[in-house]
Amino acid sequence: MAFERFLDRDNPPDDTLIEKTIGREVFPVWVDTHSFLKQQFPEFETEMVFYNAHEGWGVRYRQEARQLVLLFPERGAFTALVLLNPEEEARVMEKINYFNNRIRELLNQPSDLPQGRLLWCRIEDHTDFMGLSWLLELKQIA
C-alpha cells in the first residue's frame, strides 16, 4: 500500500503542512510522540531528513551514528521506522504479547535482515503510540 508522503527532495515540509497532511485526528498523536521522545530520550537530536525517493521526508532522532527512530508524516497517519539489533529484538520478542495487534503482527513477520529487524510501524491513534513508546523504551534498555 502506498501512503501519501512528502516525496519532493527539494521541498521539505514545514510544521503547518505536516499538520494539514496528518489531519486533525492524528496530529495530536504526532505531537505526543515528539513530546515523549524529547522527554524520554533528550540525548537524541532531531533533524528533518530526506530518506529516499520512495519514503520521502522524515524526522530522525539520533545520537551520533545511532538512530532511535525515524518518523514519516503522511496523509492521515505517520510511520515510524525502528531498527532493532539482535539483542533489542530478543528483549522485544520476550514481551510480544503485551503489544497491540498492529505491532504484534509486524513482530511475527519474518525479518528481511540477516540479524535484527526493521519495523515499519504505521501510527494512527494513541494505542499505536503506546505500542511505539514501549517498543522504543525496550530498545533503549542497556
Side-chain angles (χ1 to χ4, degrees):
M1 173 187 273
F3 303 116
E4 290 183 48
R5 293 193 178 146
F6 299 101
L7 302 178
D8 185 351
R9 176 186 289 274
D10 297 326
N11 291 310
D14 61 18
D15 292 339
T16 303
L17 186 56
I18 290 173
E19 180 177 2
K20 182 179 177 185
T21 302
I22 289 175
R24 269 191 346 218
E25 292 181 10
V26 180
F27 189 70
V29 182
W30 172 263
V31 171
D32 289 348
T33 301
H34 286 285
S35 296
F36 166 79
L37 291 167
K38 289 175 182 173
Q39 182 178 18
Q40 293 298 118
F41 308 102
E43 67 278 14
F44 285 81
E45 297 178 10
T46 62
E47 62 182 334
M48 180 67 75
V49 297
F50 189 80
Y51 189 72
N52 63 31
H54 183 264
E55 305 302 336
W57 287 96
V59 178
R60 177 169 50 193
Y61 283 79
R62 75 174 184 169
Q63 181 183 36
E64 297 175 11
R66 187 170 179 222
Q67 178 174 296
L68 178 66
V69 65
L70 214 156
L71 304 173
F72 297 95
E74 56 201 40
R75 177 123 1 252
F78 60 97
T79 294
L81 170 58
V82 180
L83 174 62
L84 299 175
N85 67 33
E87 295 80 22
E88 294 164 344
E89 181 181 17
R91 274 196 306 271
V92 167
M93 293 307 284
E94 288 176 5
K95 308 287 185 186
I96 190 171
N97 291 327
Y98 296 99
F99 287 101
N100 65 339
N101 285 338
R102 187 184 311 264
I103 293 178
R104 239 188 348 259
E105 286 175 10
L106 291 172
L107 291 168
N108 281 323
Q109 294 175 5
S111 175
D112 294 335
L113 301 177
Q115 294 185 351
R117 101 180 21 245
L118 281 174
L119 292 176
W120 293 89
C121 307
R122 185 163 162 89
I123 310 298
E124 297 177 336
D125 57 33
H126 275 93
T127 302
D128 296 334
F129 161 70
M130 294 305 295
L132 174 64
S133 64
W134 199 43
L135 181 68
L136 294 173
E137 287 175 353
L138 287 171
K139 176 179 171 59
Q140 285 304 106
I141 296 173

